[in-house]
Structure formats: structure tokens, C-alpha cells
Amino acid sequence: MPSDARVESALAAVAGRISLFRSAVAGTLDRARRTLESENGQARAGVELGEFASGRIDPAKFAMISAGAAPLDQAAKAALESATKVLEEIAQEDDGQFVVEVLPGRSVGSAIRNQLKVLGAGFAASELIEHVRRRTFDAAQQRRPADGLPFDRWSATERKFAPPLVVSIEGSDLDPFEIAPFVDGCVHLVLLVNGGCAPAVLSRLISPGVFVAQCEDLHAVGSIAEFDGPAVIALMGGGALFDHDPRRGGSAWQRLRVVRMPDASARRGPGSRSTAQQREDIGVLRMLAEEPRFPANPPDALMAAIGAGGADPVDRLTEWVLGRAAEGTTA
């Protein structure tokens, strides 16, 4: 496991997402407890009715009428209690549940998938609780929250409330294509990379709506907690330093800031990525970062087609393009 300072820094960077997930768990837990309390209405009704009602008024029916719903059967109540326990365990765990250590030589994708399944138990519990509250619970069909909920079964809404993960991994084991399946919703991953790594390993994850960064200091990429979308950040030494923030603009070169571009003639580093793949990684980064440039002076043929004159060049160009379009040709 990396130093406590690195872990604490990473957890601080995703503190907002942790708080959001914990709030969702707390809200669901509150609903579960209130539902359980309402189910205890029968016992309270017997006490409130007292001896005078004994033998005259059925406390169960009285509770049902006052609550406005039929009482739960034993299976539904047991499931509700089980879901409540799962939520209480998640709520009581410290932030260590958001930290994952990938053992050397192991799959980063499997490690992330396993921990998200564990934390996904909170979503499974929420679904069960709603079925119980609506009296649509089916013991044969309903999944058990204690078994967790795999990420590929999370709904779009659940992925918006996804818990972040801080992942400690050896640089030689970092494969961007194992991480790609989790780049969805608002999943935030901070990778604490130990040892050497392919220089532009995360460049393949850059896409219009994804925050991607390689940095030596998390403060260099600014706040990501409020970013409403998926984010993957690698805290690493050496290699390319860049951050791609979708909030900066509509074009790749506007969104991408490269602080350090590695040499294109990258030699094979540790891990499974070949020299050719590493060069392609760098090539992708260079291509996305390149700002488009237009010639200062348009070609002579174009200027001749537009024609000279006192009119504004933009107006002449517009007139020429519209004329070509009317003739059924292209500019």
C-alpha cells in the first residue's frame, strides 16, 4: 500500500464523491428504519388500545388501517431487516472501503470490479427496500443485498451516485483497456501508480465527456469532485503529464492541456504494452493536443475564384460558397 500521505491526498481529492455516496446510503437507511418502525405499529397499537380493547379490537387490523397498508409477511420483513443491516455496515465503515490495493501481477479490472460489487450492496439494498415499501417484494426474484451488486447491473442513476475508488497499482500492471469498462456515469478513479509505467498509458481513455489526467501532484489538476462525469487520474512519476477536462471547450485541443510530452521514440517499458503500443499512446496524445492551424493567406486559386473588389472578403466568400451550392457543386 502506498504511503498514508498519498492515500490521504487521493481521498481528499474525491471527498465530494464520497460524501455524495454516503448521503445516498444514509437516506436509504433512514427510509428502511422508518419502514421497520411502521411495521411495529401493531405492538404499539396493542399498548395504546389498552385492556379495554382486549378481545374487542384486533391490534393487527387497527395498525393496518392506521398505516394505510397491509402488514408485511415474515419473508419481506426479514429481507427488510437484512437490507438495513447491510446499509448500517456500509455507513459505519471508514474511508478505507474506498481504497483498493492491486497485488503485483493481478488484474486492475478485477480488483475494481470486486470492490464496486461490494459497495454496490448499498444499491441492491435500496432496490429491495423500495420493493418492500411498495408491497412488490418477491423472495424468489429479489437479489440479496449482502451478495453485493456487480457494476454491469448498476442502473444509470446508480452510476451517477457511484462511490469513488483510490487504487494502488504497480505501473507494469496498469492496462487502460481494463479500466475502460468503468468509465461511465460519475465513476471517479484515482490510480496511485508505483514504479515505472508506459509514458502515456491513459491517453487511450481520452474522449469528449471524460476527465483524464496523468500528474505528479493531484493539486495540479484542480478540483475534480464537482465534475459531473467519469474521471480517471493517475498519480505517477515520469512519463507524460497532462489533463483533459471536458469543461474547457468543444474541441480536443481546447480540453487537453499537456505539461510534458514524452519523446515519441519511446522504448519498451515495464508491463505488457509493446514499444509500438506505447508509441501509439504518445501519438494519440500528440494528435489530440494539436491545435488546428489555417493558412494565413488563402490559396491563389481560391482568391481568384472569389474575385477581388471592395466588398468585405467574408461577404465575397459567403456569396461564392452559396453560388457553388446553387450550381450543385461543392466548395
Side-chain angles (χ1 to χ4, degrees):
M1 181 66 68
S3 68
D4 289 344
R6 291 179 72 198
V7 173
E8 289 176 5
S9 176
L11 287 172
V14 294
R17 298 300 309 178
I18 290 176
S19 177
L20 185 64
F21 177 72
R22 287 193 178 279
S23 295
V25 170
T28 305
L29 181 56
D30 181 62
R31 289 199 305 275
R33 286 170 172 166
R34 284 190 281 110
T35 303
L36 280 173
E37 288 174 3
S38 70
E39 286 305 307
N40 293 328
Q42 178 179 339
R44 290 200 304 272
V47 173
E48 292 168 359
L49 290 170
E51 293 296 328
F52 177 76
S54 179
R56 297 181 177 84
I57 300 176
D58 185 343
K61 293 182 178 179
F62 180 85
M64 180 180 70
I65 293 171
S66 61
L72 298 176
D73 59 29
Q74 285 302 112
K77 188 172 182 180
L80 182 59
E81 291 172 344
S82 174
T84 302
K85 182 179 179 181
V86 167
L87 291 168
E88 288 174 341
E89 289 174 351
I90 295 175
Q92 292 166 5
E93 280 281 342
D94 60 22
D95 286 351
Q97 65 186 317
F98 305 108
V99 180
V100 178
E101 182 176 10
V102 183
L103 297 177
R106 299 294 180 86
S107 165
V108 61
S110 295
I112 293 172
R113 186 173 289 105
N114 290 341
Q115 192 58 23
L116 289 180
K117 179 181 179 181
V118 171
L119 293 169
F123 297 135
S126 177
E127 180 182 335
L128 185 150
I129 290 164
E130 286 308 305
H131 278 294
V132 170
R133 284 163 55 87
R134 297 173 186 175
R135 302 307 192 261
T136 57
F137 172 76
D138 184 344
Q141 298 293 328
Q142 191 68 45
R143 61 175 65 95
R144 290 164 42 110
D147 295 336
L149 184 65
F151 180 74
D152 59 8
R153 295 172 67 179
W154 291 15
S155 68
T157 299
E158 289 163 349
R159 294 181 184 213
K160 282 290 185 181
F161 287 90
L165 291 180
V166 174
V167 183
S168 170
I169 181 173
E170 296 299 316
S172 56
D173 296 328
L174 181 52
D175 184 343
F177 300 108
E178 284 202 63
I179 295 172
F182 309 104
V183 180
D184 192 23
C186 287
V187 177
H188 286 195
L189 302 173
V190 178
L191 312 175
L192 305 182
V193 182
N194 306 308
C197 181
V201 64
L202 293 190
S203 66
R204 300 301 186 100
L205 297 180
I206 296 175
S207 55
V210 182
F211 189 107
V212 184
Q214 291 184 190
C215 60
E216 294 177 329
D217 184 352
L218 287 173
H219 295 294
V221 299
S223 174
I224 62 163
E226 295 79 20
F227 178 67
D228 188 26
V232 183
I233 298 175
L235 186 60
M236 54 189 282
L241 297 181
F242 68 86
D243 57 89
H244 173 267
D245 189 339
R247 295 169 291 189
R248 290 195 188 118
S251 301
W253 65 271
Q254 295 172 318
R255 300 188 299 262
L256 181 60
R257 179 183 63 173
V258 180
V259 177
R260 182 170 70 207
M261 182 72 75
D263 189 341
S265 60
R267 295 183 178 181
R268 180 164 185 167
S272 60
R273 298 189 67 70
S274 68
T275 300
Q277 289 173 322
Q278 293 183 47
R279 288 174 178 169
E280 286 297 304
D281 293 343
I282 297 171
V284 167
L285 190 63
R286 287 186 181 278
M287 177 183 67
L288 295 175
E290 185 175 359
E291 180 178 352
R293 299 187 182 280
F294 300 97
N297 299 309
D300 292 339
L302 176 59
M303 291 305 297
I306 295 174
D312 185 276
V314 174
D315 292 338
R316 299 203 311 272
L317 177 59
T318 302
E319 182 180 355
W320 178 75
V321 171
L322 291 175
R324 299 278 287 179
E327 295 170 3
T329 59
T330 61

